[in-house]
Amino acid sequence: MYDPKSVEEKWQAHWAENGTNEPDLDAAPSPFFNLMMFPYPSAEGLHVGNLYAFTGADFHGRFQRLRGRDVFEPIGFDAFGIHSENYALKVDVHPMDLIPRSIANFTRQLKRSGIMFDWSHTVDTTNPDYYRWTQWIFLQLYRAGLAVKKEAPVNWCPSCKTVLANEQVEDGKCERCGTEVGQRFLSQWFFRITEYVERLLKNLDWIDWSPSTLTAQRNWIGRSEGALLRFRLAGEREESLDVFTTRPDTIFGATFMVLAPEHPLVEELTSEDRRDEVETYRAAAADVDLVERRKTDDRKKTGVFTGGFAVNPATGEDIPVWIADYVLMEYGTGAIMAVPGHDQRDFEFARQFGLEILPVVAPAEVVDDASDPSTVILQLGDEAFVEHTEGERLINSGKFSGLPATEGAARIVEWLGERGLGEPKVNYRLHDWCISRQRYWGAPIPILYCDTCGTVPVPEEDLPVVLPHLEQFKPGDDGIAPLAKDESFYRATCPSCGGEARRETDVSDTFLDSTWYFLRYPSTDFDDRAIDPSRTDRWLPVDMYIGGEEHAVLHLLYSRFITMVLHDLGHVPFEEPYVRFRKHGLIIRDGAKMSKTKGNVVNPDEFIDRYGADTIRTYLMFLGPYQEGGDFRDSGIVGPQRFLSRVSDAIAAAVEAGATGFPDAVVERAVHQTISQVTEDFASLSFNTAIAALMELLNTLRAGGRVPTLDEIRPLVIMLGPIAPHLAEELWETLGGEPSLFDHASWPAFDPAKLTTDSVEIAVQVNGKLRATISLERGASEEAARAAALADEGVQRHMGNASIRKTIYVPDRLLNLVVG
RNA sequence: GCGAAAGUGGCGGAAUCGGUAGACGCGCCAGCCUUAGGAGCUGGUGGCCCGAGGGCCGUGGGGGUUCGAGUCCCCCCUUUCGCACCA
């Protein structure tokens, strides 16, 4: 009788006592770094989504282990950040007390779930032993000129009293508390990730990642090719307005310009009579957050005329300069040349304010019909003409009229370039990464400000800058960081001149903590260095990284960036941290997302108590394709439960009978076929079909009440290892194997010669419809197949008197007779 | 709006170099076993028709290519997930 509780406790104890899951990090001959995204240890405990993610990754890790690799499968806790801080405020427990409790609870839950973690190499990002090195990384970037302080518009949540990243704002509201978000300008630390943008993009061509994740990163980076064009201000002024455009071919149609309300030249351009209106508009725009500004849904275009003019460098004409909030300061140059004929937004704006619309590109047919392309008139309906294809031609564009648009773009840029008015330019959507947070629960940024010496980095030997235990850590509504209120923290001595200095009181973004945790895992034994070179050589880069797609753009991009920087600075010998990445899907329950409000959250403890970890593991991976997610239904869990119980019974019966060898050719073939398929499925993370194949094999082994021989069933036990490791260990021991299975068994091999039979069933179709199946010798000739088919009564009936016009024969599969 | 993926029995899902649709599991039905069982075992289970030999229909909808389409092409519908005034 299968009793999961005792079996699981027994083997968990065995693994812990024998260090089964702790590879020799200095000497393992075949290292395999199996990484999964470390969790944020929420106070609610392990979510079944975490368990799903880890279990799939563990299937893969155990599979590699059984195939002879020395698998290092560490885990840690990403415990800094707004989540924890807000929760701590809510329940009124200090995060320094709350987090250790949550971690202890997570650890307890993870240890009973059968995952092959090496508990001797964990990380906790809130531990000074860890964040000391996070601060060290900041200093490396600072020295390399990649960490800079600059003033920037930021999203500001008036409730959380903090700056939010764009991705923390949803529908203009704070992702956490739902408060409307506004804008503020603050001086903050930025990492210059844009310096690395080309490499970050280019390497996407060769790293082996889930395609959708690659696409997400490419889109996030948002590379677009175009030109930077210079518009002089009209009149006697010196200044000029730079714009980025992907359509320099349309410059003759630029009939006005639009600046972002925050653009620095607005002041200069605004005429006295327009000043009040401009100021009112700018003030209103500042009240709207950066994300709200981007909402497209039928928001009417708004804007005001500055009273100023610029000169279109192509036509030489003065064109009016407006400001409008549909132009974003953080993209391009914060200013656009408006071409209402060929941009839908500009078109709408022009309509709204009665500005001139001048089409300068037309479909080839329109131009071909005209004698002089420079005077062609393209009639526009309610939309701009925005197609951009090879066939279209320039019109109304001076000497460039008649040229294909693409060629025209290049020629125009060249022409403007000769006069210093333009150049080709690549623009990116990606921005520098603001890492400052005006919060408490994060790693302090290791910087000092000294009146004499200016900005001074904390010397490496003085790290860590320890986060003090602040009783009052709630952020203030003045934007002053909590640490700025703790004098004993911020008062310091300047390491350079010995005078008085003030510490930076912002803490760093949680995403910084997680950029390098995987680098730390193999090196947690060392407290005098972040990353041990020899351990790193042996274990990194990561062989397989599995995680959720929600981190496709932020964590994974930042982590790649930091790794590249560390590579350039000589700290690691590779520039891509994750050679292979696979996303896993999301698990839902009864067709709906799990959420506390719906009350449909699966509590892993409850299910493990009731069914055992092995059954939960099997069920989680059986309920759908791992990379696509699946639907957790309570009724379905009994399938895997019965399966494991039957395996257990079958082993007991086999041991009692004691038969060996492969007396039955059909069964022997099934064993080989299953090994072949399961091996393939495991390699491609198709765990659901691997489990199905093992179920099928078990059904074959005990079909009609037969008792399998020991040799027939042994491979099944080994293949069960990654799926139900506790039970597999137990059964392996029952079969006389030396524990642990993971040390002493190796993945079964199959004999290709034993996969097939001498005779095959082939389908016989008449005019494409299945009419019979016939048994043939493998590799039978078409003639033989046709003869056999024609002898079949059913086939004869369907052919009637008709004659065969054509025969399609797929050897060993199908014969199609086309008659008529 | 743009991008990506997906729509298959009562349900979760198999099968996509075009070649016997529905593996495996849940549920359901029948039988066995049992004092009993929310246990176990055996068999059955896409729909419709039937003369019991079979026949017809069937992978979101419509068209197409092909000897043959869940799979490829075109149009449409729906769902999920990204990104969203990106110049």
Side-chain angles (χ1 to χ4, degrees), chain A residues 296-362:
Chain A
T296 50
D297 12 313
D298 55 43
R299 254 189 68 193
K300 253 182 125 176
K301 294 281 180 291
T302 61
V304 296
F305 177 42
T306 61
F309 289 84
V311 182
N312 181 319
T315 64
E317 283 172 22
D318 287 0
I319 55 174
V321 181
W322 288 61
I323 61 173
D325 65 2
Y326 80 91
V327 175
L328 306 172
M329 194 60 219
E330 78 270 14
Y331 186 79
T333 63
I336 62 159
M337 64 174 203
V339 185
H342 305 288
D343 181 284
Q344 190 59 26
R345 293 154 300 168
D346 298 345
F347 180 83
E348 285 163 18
F349 193 80
R351 277 283 182 92
Q352 179 93 19
F353 295 105
L355 296 160
E356 186 190 0
I357 299 172
L358 176 66
V360 290
V361 181

Side-chain angles (χ1 to χ4, degrees), chain A residues 195-499:
Chain A
E195 293 285 304
Y196 280 72
V197 65
E198 271 300 320
R199 272 162 82 188
L200 289 167
L201 187 61
K202 202 163 237 166
N203 285 2
L204 294 177
D205 292 341
W206 65 264
I207 54 180
D208 177 13
W209 283 22
S210 291
S212 58
T213 313
L214 291 173
T215 304
Q217 286 222 344
R218 285 198 183 95
N219 291 344
W220 191 259
I221 289 171
R223 182 184 200 271
S224 59
E225 287 186 20
L228 196 68
L229 304 180
R230 186 152 299 141
F231 287 60
R232 291 204 180 95
L233 300 194
E236 300 302 306
R237 308 190 207 223
E238 290 291 308
E239 300 91 340
S240 59
L241 277 170
D242 287 346
V243 301
F244 172 74
T245 178
T246 53
R247 296 291 304 272
D249 50 314
T250 63
I251 190 167
F252 283 83
T255 52
F256 60 100
M257 297 187 80
V258 186
L259 308 188
E262 307 86 355
H263 195 285
L265 278 181
V266 172
E267 197 71 15
E268 170 74 20
L269 273 158
T270 303
S271 60
E272 277 315 308
D273 58 318
R274 310 291 308 162
R275 192 159 300 277
D276 284 353
E277 214 181 321
V278 167
E279 285 311 317
T280 307
Y281 188 81
R282 294 181 84 182
D287 278 343
V288 184
D289 68 279
L290 298 171
V291 173
E292 181 68 20
R293 281 273 295 277
R294 299 174 174 185
K295 287 178 77 177
T296 50
D297 12 313
D298 55 43
R299 254 189 68 193
K300 253 182 125 176
K301 294 281 180 291
T302 61
V304 296
F305 177 42
T306 61
F309 289 84
V311 182
N312 181 319
T315 64
E317 283 172 22
D318 287 0
I319 55 174
V321 181
W322 288 61
I323 61 173
D325 65 2
Y326 80 91
V327 175
L328 306 172
M329 194 60 219
E330 78 270 14
Y331 186 79
T333 63
I336 62 159
M337 64 174 203
V339 185
H342 305 288
D343 181 284
Q344 190 59 26
R345 293 154 300 168
D346 298 345
F347 180 83
E348 285 163 18
F349 193 80
R351 277 283 182 92
Q352 179 93 19
F353 295 105
L355 296 160
E356 186 190 0
I357 299 172
L358 176 66
V360 290
V361 181
E365 326 67 276
V366 176
V367 181
D368 290 342
D369 292 344
S371 50
D372 180 1
S374 65
T375 60
V376 172
I377 293 168
L378 178 70
Q379 295 295 335
L380 294 174
D382 281 338
E383 289 189 348
F385 175 64
V386 296
E387 315 295 319
H388 194 46
T389 57
E390 288 293 326
E392 64 192 10
R393 311 274 198 84
L394 300 186
I395 57 173
N396 286 308
S397 296
K399 63 179 178 177
F400 302 99
S401 297
L403 286 176
T406 313
E407 188 188 339
R411 298 266 298 269
I412 286 171
V413 174
E414 197 185 330
W415 173 63
L416 292 174
E418 286 161 9
R419 294 185 286 147
L421 295 174
E423 63 204 56
K425 161 97 176 162
V426 176
N427 196 57
Y428 301 91
R429 213 188 74 120
L430 183 71
H431 292 97
D432 280 338
W433 172 22
C434 176
I435 62 137
S436 295
R437 293 292 181 275
Q438 293 70 45
R439 298 287 294 217
Y440 169 64
W441 194 234
I445 293 172
I447 286 288
L448 294 160
Y449 302 103
C450 167
D451 286 340
T452 316
C453 312
T455 302
V456 182
V458 173
E460 287 183 16
E461 58 272 22
D462 291 351
L463 297 179
V465 177
V466 175
L467 183 70
H469 189 294
L470 274 196
E471 279 311 323
Q472 294 301 320
F473 59 88
K474 191 173 179 171
D477 53 9
D478 43 14
I480 295 174
L483 291 177
K485 292 169 184 164
D486 180 7
E487 222 181 290
S488 62
F489 174 78
Y490 71 70
R491 278 184 180 278
T493 307
C494 173
S496 174
C497 70

Side-chain angles (χ1 to χ4, degrees), chain A residues 514-740:
Chain A
S514 57
T515 53
W516 74 286
Y517 74 108
F518 64 99
L519 292 172
R520 185 61 183 163
Y521 280 138
S523 299
T524 53
D525 305 309
F526 307 100
D527 60 7
D528 61 340
R529 69 204 93 151
I531 304 161
D532 180 69
S534 141
R535 291 273 174 94
T536 300
D537 268 347
R538 184 174 294 273
W539 292 96
L540 286 147
V542 166
D543 293 279
M544 173 63 112
Y545 194 19
I546 289 178
E549 182 125 71
E550 69 272 18
H551 291 117
V553 290
L554 299 173
H555 162 62
L556 285 171
L557 191 66
Y558 294 153
S559 190
R560 291 180 59 219
F561 161 61
I562 293 295
T563 304
M564 262 176 210
V565 172
L566 291 175
H567 168 261
D568 290 355
L569 298 177
H571 297 296
V572 296
F574 47 87
E575 65 171 29
E576 284 295 337
Y578 317 119
V579 176
R580 297 185 86 200
F581 170 78
R582 291 293 179 273
K583 61 142 195 183
H584 59 73
L586 288 178
I587 185 164
I588 55 176
R589 192 185 201 185
D590 299 321
K593 271 184 192 164
M594 280 184 226
S595 72
K596 266 191 290 181
T597 46
K598 283 191 198 122
N600 64 347
V601 175
V602 174
N603 178 346
D605 277 329
E606 219 172 86
F607 278 83
I608 291 176
D609 287 341
R610 184 151 170 212
Y611 296 98
D614 282 336
T615 296
I616 305 300
R617 289 169 61 94
T618 310
Y619 180 56
L620 284 175
M621 292 303 110
F622 181 63
L623 53 72
Y626 183 57
Q627 294 183 78
E628 282 159 45
D631 193 357
F632 190 103
R633 290 176 187 246
D634 295 5
S635 62
I637 201 167
V638 298
Q641 185 186 32
R642 289 173 190 158
F643 167 62
L644 295 182
S645 169
R646 281 197 280 250
V647 173
S648 188
D649 291 349
I651 295 285
V655 168
E656 195 185 324
T660 58
F662 291 90
D664 182 334
V666 173
V667 170
E668 183 176 23
R669 186 166 59 249
V671 170
H672 286 269
Q673 282 170 341
T674 304
I675 295 170
S676 164
Q677 197 195 325
V678 171
T679 304
E680 213 170 280
D681 284 347
F682 261 102
S684 62
L685 311 186
S686 304
F687 305 131
N688 56 332
T689 49
I691 294 166
L694 292 176
M695 288 174 166
E696 208 172 347
L697 176 62
L698 182 68
N699 291 343
T700 304
L701 292 179
R702 48 204 296 282
R706 83 187 283 281
V707 174
T709 71
L710 297 169
D711 294 314
E712 285 168 351
I713 206 160
R714 187 174 291 106
L716 188 147
V717 170
I718 299 168
M719 289 187 285
L720 197 64
I723 299 167
H726 313 86
L727 178 61
E729 288 272 25
E730 183 71 17
L731 299 178
W732 173 252
E733 191 180 52
T734 307
L735 286 176
E738 188 182 341
S740 154

